[in-house]
Amino acid sequence: MIFSCLTLGCKTNQTETDSLAETLMSHGHEYSPYGGAVNAVIINTCSVTSVSDKKSRAAISRARRDNPGAVIAVHGCMAQAMTEKPPNVDVLGGTGDRSGFIEALERVTATRGARLIIKNGVPGSSRSTVGAVIGRTLQYINSQRFADAQSAPLQKQKTRAFLKVQDGCSNSCSYCIIPSLRGESRSVPLADVVQNAKRFADSGAKEIVLTGIEISAYDGGIAHLAATLAEEFQSIRFRLGSLDSSCVTSEFARILSARKNICPHFHLAVQSGCGKTLAAMNRQTEKAAQAVKLLRSAFDCTLGCDIIVGFPGESEADFLESLDFIENHKFTFTHIFPYSDRPGTAAASMPNKLTNAEKRARARRASELSDRLFAESAAKQIFLDVLFETEKDGESIGHAENYFEVCVKAENLRNEIRRVKILGIRGKTLIGEL
């Protein structure tokens, strides 16, 4: 079988796609970059917002149109949420038993037989009621004590590698469907995390990003895990994925600030700067400000955050309070999301919904503030250590330790970390010289 992969959504999805691909390659199948002639296409979907759903559905339709004779295998969060199987899909897999998904894909590809649903070890034919299969999904996921560990990394050399350390989420945020699709929080055992970090190190990676659905819930503490890895692999720099503010304690700051190979960039899942809105979201109201203070005092760092605008009942005053929070705490990287109804969540039935036009207008205003804060932070950069990842038109591009993207006029720097003097900015990319 010759297969290709397309990943939508988060870094965790990318790690899972890589693991699926590596397992298939170990079975003797051949990987081909997406867009080529293949026997099978794997689409790893996202369902965190309605826009994510739309992009995932469009990707499925495009894959069927471009590959009329191939098996189309759909995996991930949107696949988990589907209550009926699309007619243009041959294999439908959820977020649990990936070995079962691979077996179904191999079976259908080999026989061109009946289409299969394989959700967390519960197979069914295309005539099965997908809702009934989904009904058994979380029982399967939540019966697992640990999250799936990654397979060995893909053979191509990594510069920045994403290392999955955790899956699922046990929070009850009123807007979020992901716990219903991923199950409760489960951590990858420490020995497996260390083993996979070694594999990435052996493959040449210079930076490892710790990722998961809610890495702040890692058993034993995400700070202790990151510190253990940083001590074990001192030639590699480690970056933390998105963090819940509640995990940023004085101990967190003390442990990680002592490790010089921890990247000084932290992304917080803030979601709102308004206490009233946070309460409606079922999130803690004071933790984000405390986290920012602790991080600023312990690190010379950049900060990023997620912000949802237009949550049900968010007034103009509430929105302005959220903008003030972003500005007062000088977030360099702000990811802005207009609120999106997710059926089955508490927020979906809340009153006082904003119109799409109102949500878009607030997203634009938040983006204008975000762009200004980014530019102010960028203007302060002088010397950065950059890991170069790609090359185009005689320029090398990579990320600094504080997550700024940096470009220099030079070639043959891939997977090297070099000191760069910053000269200016072009769009969202800093321009420098070695």
Side-chain angles (χ1 to χ4, degrees):
M1 173 175 67
I2 303 174
F3 70 96
S4 64
C5 301
L6 177 64
T7 304
L8 299 102
C10 64
K11 294 179 177 67
T12 301
N13 267 11
Q14 187 59 62
T15 68
E16 292 170 351
T17 299
D18 286 352
S19 189
L20 286 169
E22 187 64 29
T23 301
L24 285 167
M25 290 165 64
S26 73
H27 291 184
H29 303 296
E30 180 182 345
Y31 171 80
S32 176
Y34 186 78
V38 294
N39 307 114
V41 179
I42 298 171
I43 302 172
N44 201 355
T45 59
C46 177
S47 192
V48 69
T49 66
S50 59
V51 173
S52 302
D53 278 350
K54 184 177 179 180
K55 289 180 178 178
S56 294
R57 287 192 295 268
I60 294 168
S61 297
R62 185 171 64 251
R64 171 55 72 202
R65 182 179 66 248
D66 295 344
N67 304 272
V71 170
I72 305 299
V74 177
H75 189 261
C77 286
M78 194 187 82
Q80 185 66 46
M82 287 179 174
T83 55
E84 58 183 41
K85 195 168 80 60
N88 55 358
V89 172
D90 299 304
V91 180
L92 183 67
T95 58
D97 183 12
R98 294 180 182 89
S99 63
F101 175 77
I102 287 171
E103 290 172 9
L105 172 59
E106 291 177 319
R107 195 185 327 163
V108 172
T109 304
T111 64
R112 294 299 301 176
R115 296 173 175 179
L116 289 174
I117 303 160
I118 179 74
K119 292 208 174 190
N120 310 304
V122 186
S125 75
S126 59
R127 294 182 299 276
S128 298
T129 302
V130 178
V133 177
I134 294 173
R136 298 191 290 270
T137 291
L138 293 185
Q139 292 179 358
Y140 177 90
I141 296 175
N142 290 333
S143 70
Q144 308 305 301
R145 182 179 177 188
F146 301 113
D148 293 339
Q150 287 173 249
S151 301
L154 290 171
Q155 296 305 307
K156 61 183 181 180
Q157 186 188 57
K158 296 278 187 178
T159 56
R160 299 174 65 236
F162 299 119
L163 176 57
K164 179 182 172 182
V165 302
Q166 180 273 346
D167 201 349
C169 182
S170 299
N171 295 332
S172 302
C173 299
S174 63
Y175 55 83
C176 187
I177 193 65
I178 298 303
S180 299
L181 306 179
R182 289 271 182 173
E184 296 174 359
S185 178
R186 306 169 313 283
S187 299
V188 177
L190 176 61
D192 290 339
V193 174
V194 173
Q195 182 182 44
N196 278 300
K198 184 178 186 306
R199 288 169 175 165
F200 282 127
D202 291 345
S203 74
K206 297 291 180 65
E207 177 179 311
I208 293 178
V209 183
L210 305 186
T211 188
I213 300 302
E214 176 59 291
I215 66 170
S216 302
Y218 187 83
D219 288 343
I222 189 62
H224 287 282
L225 173 65
T228 298
L229 294 171
E231 182 69 24
E232 180 75 17
F233 305 97
Q234 296 187 23
S235 64
I236 293 177
R237 66 187 196 185
F238 287 87
R239 190 181 302 277
L240 298 181
S242 182
L243 298 168
D244 189 270
S245 299
S246 62
C247 83
V248 181
T249 62
S250 56
E251 182 184 27
F252 175 103
R254 177 185 60 80
I255 291 172
L256 293 187
S257 62
R259 272 68 182 185
K260 300 307 178 187
N261 54 335
I262 297 292
C263 289
H265 162 254
F266 302 95
H267 186 90
L268 302 176
V270 173
Q271 311 306 3
S272 176
C274 170
K276 188 191 87 175
T277 302
L278 284 170
M281 290 177 170
N282 198 29
R283 294 184 63 81
Q284 295 175 324
T285 58
E286 75 286 353
K287 295 294 185 181
Q290 293 176 8
V292 170
K293 183 178 179 180
L294 284 167
L295 291 170
R296 295 281 192 208
S297 64
F299 300 90
D300 179 14
C301 62
T302 58
L303 298 179
C305 68
D306 295 328
I307 293 290
I308 297 173
V309 299
F311 191 78
E314 182 189 66
S315 68
E316 174 69 11
D318 298 335
F319 174 64
L320 292 176
E321 184 179 343
S322 201
L323 292 189
D324 286 344
F325 182 90
I326 298 170
E327 179 155 26
N328 292 339
H329 292 93
K330 303 299 181 186
F331 285 98
T332 300
F333 307 98
T334 304
H335 295 171
I336 299 156
F337 302 90
Y339 167 76
S340 174
D341 264 342
R342 299 282 78 197
T345 64
S349 59
M350 288 181 178
N352 302 317
K353 299 284 179 64
L354 278 72
T355 66
N356 287 336
E358 290 172 319
K359 289 186 286 186
R360 286 194 298 269
R362 289 185 180 179
R364 283 194 298 271
R365 291 162 64 189
S367 294
E368 290 169 359
L369 172 60
S370 173
D371 290 344
R372 176 166 61 80
L373 293 176
F374 176 89
E376 290 174 0
S377 181
K380 298 175 183 178
Q381 307 306 310
I382 302 174
F383 292 101
L384 296 173
D385 293 320
V386 180
L387 171 59
F388 289 100
E389 303 159 56
T390 60
E391 185 178 309
K392 183 178 181 182
D393 298 331
E395 295 182 329
S396 293
I397 305 161
H399 283 86
E401 67 275 27
N402 61 6
Y403 203 57
F404 274 106
E405 185 177 78
V406 179
C407 174
V408 300
K409 195 75 173 179
E411 297 178 323
N412 302 318
L413 295 178
R414 187 178 184 277
N415 213 31
E416 290 188 27
I417 297 178
R418 300 286 292 273
R419 190 76 164 171
V420 174
K421 181 180 180 180
I422 304 304
L423 304 175
I425 183 170
R426 183 175 66 205
K428 292 290 188 178
T429 302
L430 303 186
I431 307 301
E433 64 180 10
L434 299 177

